[in-house]
Amino acid sequence: MKLLKSMVLATATFATAGSALAQTEVVWWDFFVGGDGQRMKALISQFNEEHPDIQINATSSEWGVPFYTRVRTAAAVGQGPDIMSYHLSRVPLALSEGILTPITDSDLDHAGLARDDFFPRSIEAASDDEGALYAVPFDIHSIVLYYNKSYLEGSDYLDAEGNLTGIENLDDLNAALALAQDNGSATPLSYQTSGPGGIWRIFHTLLSQQGGTLIENGEVLPGDNLDKAARAIAIMQEWGNNNYQPEHAEYEASVALFTSGRSAFFINGVWEVPTLVDMEEAGTLGFEWGAVAVPTLLEEDAIWADSHAFAIPIQGDKEMPAEKREAVMTVIGWMEKHSLDWAAAGHIPAYLPVAESEAFTQMEPNATYASLADDAVYDARSDIAGVASPVYDAALNVIAPAIHGFLEPEQAAEHMQQELQALLN
């Protein structure tokens, strides 16, 4: 009997050891450090609980230049992660640097995914010019128009249910801003006016709503795009002239202007939805709010957009073992199928089975602005465009002075053209 017990114990110990040895660690890097970071940590924890054979070892870093510099350096020497978050707007630059590995149809199949499972625009942004896929889209995020209902009460800009209505062009928006100003809003329209991100996203939207493009065939603002860029800048400058927008507001200040109730409208990314939801639930917001897709203010339906995605970096001069790659694709597939939880951070799932699900179509305010996925316009496919790129530098160094009245719109457009063209020549 003692011998039998010993054999059983030894067998159990061996099985446990074998199970531990069979566990695959997936090294994960992301740049989610705010409200969406908490939601991502919850997803990672849930995955690890459900997959004892695969464990995600996650690290979060500062968004923007620090993250992408770290990725580029680490991947080149084979010290990078197995999987990382990535902005699709950065894919052209990543391809020029050669730091991403292609994701094959076989990879997708292992994850239980297919290209047709995603919004076509996001798949296009995740691919090279020949159609090879280099990232798996996780969401579509864009700027939206937040509004404080208290400044619009009794006006034609709120319908019977208290939802924003009647803003169908630029004149309508300007009239609503004037009304809010008359109703006591010190800064009717808040956005980041002293930083590259907020300025660029609005400029890009206004340029795109004219059918304009920043870069085409290696040329910056070719043809009448220079005039369209000047018009976009002039619109933003006029908001400043009318005291509609804040002077030199950094990101945090632009958020505070709206959440404190001083601004009637707020243009920022969907990622600020959790801020407002959390404040509302805590009873610290002080007003009723809503969010809609940025209206078509000019001639065409278009809104700046980007996507968080999953990418697999190179491993220096080594190739990722097949077992590890299968584990990575298992992680990606699981995350896509659980992206409804990620949508709680304000995003629109890029994975169509979730985006079209009843659960998502009932999620507010996401469902209200979900149509923006059809009007999404990603940054130009260029290695000088995308998040934390020279295009963002131009927004800060050229457009920002113009919207504050230090440059004429035409001058700013010309300076931006010259500055960016020099980088392409």
Side-chain angles (χ1 to χ4, degrees), residues 33-342:
V33 294
D36 52 5
Q38 296 304 313
R39 288 162 174 80
M40 181 55 75
K41 286 179 174 61
L43 281 169
I44 290 171
S45 177
Q46 182 182 345
F47 177 91
N48 284 342
E49 289 175 3
E50 295 180 9
H51 296 79
D53 58 326
I54 303 173
Q55 291 293 286
I56 300 173
N57 181 356
T59 301
S60 297
S61 303
E62 184 181 351
W63 179 94
V65 173
F67 178 82
Y68 286 113
T69 300
R70 182 184 179 210
V71 164
R72 182 173 62 249
T73 303
V77 296
Q79 299 296 319
D82 300 314
I83 182 176
M84 60 187 176
S85 59
Y86 219 80
H87 287 95
L88 291 189
S89 64
R90 290 276 303 198
V91 167
L93 178 56
L95 294 179
S96 71
E97 296 169 338
I99 63 171
L100 300 183
T101 64
I103 295 173
T104 66
D105 289 343
S106 176
D107 287 330
L108 291 175
D109 185 62
H110 184 85
L113 306 172
R115 290 172 183 253
D116 292 344
D117 289 337
F118 299 89
F119 284 102
R121 293 191 185 196
S122 65
I123 285 292
E124 180 183 359
S127 306
D128 65 13
D129 292 338
E130 284 71 45
L133 191 68
Y134 282 86
V136 181
F138 190 41
D139 64 38
I140 294 178
H141 55 265
S142 182
I143 51 174
V144 293
L145 182 66
Y146 298 89
Y147 58 98
N148 179 334
K149 298 182 182 183
S150 64
Y151 290 109
L152 304 173
E153 289 178 358
S155 75
D156 292 337
Y157 297 107
L158 290 182
D159 64 18
E161 286 74 41
N163 299 317
L164 188 68
T165 187
I167 298 181
E168 299 179 359
N169 53 50
L170 180 62
D171 289 342
D172 290 339
L173 175 60
N174 287 338
L177 294 174
L179 173 70
Q181 193 174 58
D182 291 342
N183 286 342
S185 178
T187 308
L189 176 62
S190 182
Y191 67 94
Q192 183 190 23
T193 58
S194 188
I199 292 172
W200 170 253
R201 294 167 191 136
I202 294 177
F203 167 80
H204 185 275
T205 297
L206 294 173
L207 176 66
S208 299
Q209 287 193 357
Q210 300 173 69
T213 184
L214 182 72
I215 302 170
E216 188 172 9
N217 299 323
E219 296 294 322
V220 177
L221 296 174
D224 65 353
N225 285 288
L226 188 64
D227 294 334
K228 293 175 180 177
R231 182 187 179 200
I233 296 169
I235 290 168
M236 299 166 74
Q237 186 184 80
E238 188 65 17
W239 289 337
N241 293 341
N242 290 328
N243 296 316
Y244 292 157
Q245 67 191 20
E247 288 191 28
H248 310 295
E250 292 292 351
Y251 187 92
E252 293 78 8
S254 72
V255 176
L257 279 170
F258 185 70
T259 57
S260 65
R262 285 175 284 175
S263 292
F265 294 94
F266 178 41
I267 298 179
N268 203 340
V270 297
W271 52 85
E272 286 300 337
V273 165
T275 301
L276 292 158
V277 169
D278 292 347
M279 290 183 69
E280 188 174 36
E281 291 178 351
T284 59
L285 189 59
F287 58 87
E288 293 186 18
W289 66 284
V292 298
V294 172
T296 301
L297 303 175
L298 303 177
E299 291 78 31
E300 297 191 13
D301 298 334
I303 305 173
W304 168 90
D306 205 338
S307 289
H308 297 124
F310 299 115
I312 304 174
I314 61 171
Q315 310 288 319
D317 58 359
K318 300 177 181 178
E319 187 172 337
M320 181 181 288
E323 180 183 357
K324 174 65 72 70
R325 194 169 183 92
E326 289 180 0
V328 167
M329 294 310 303
T330 297
V331 169
I332 292 175
W334 187 93
M335 288 290 172
E336 295 291 352
K337 292 163 189 174
H338 289 77
S339 55
L340 184 67
D341 294 333
W342 182 242

Side-chain angles (χ1 to χ4, degrees), residues 217-220 383-384 417-425:
N217 299 323
E219 296 294 322
V220 177
D383 56 12
I384 67 166
Q417 182 188 50
Q418 294 165 3
E419 181 178 310
L420 295 177
Q421 191 67 58
L423 297 175
L424 291 175
N425 290 343

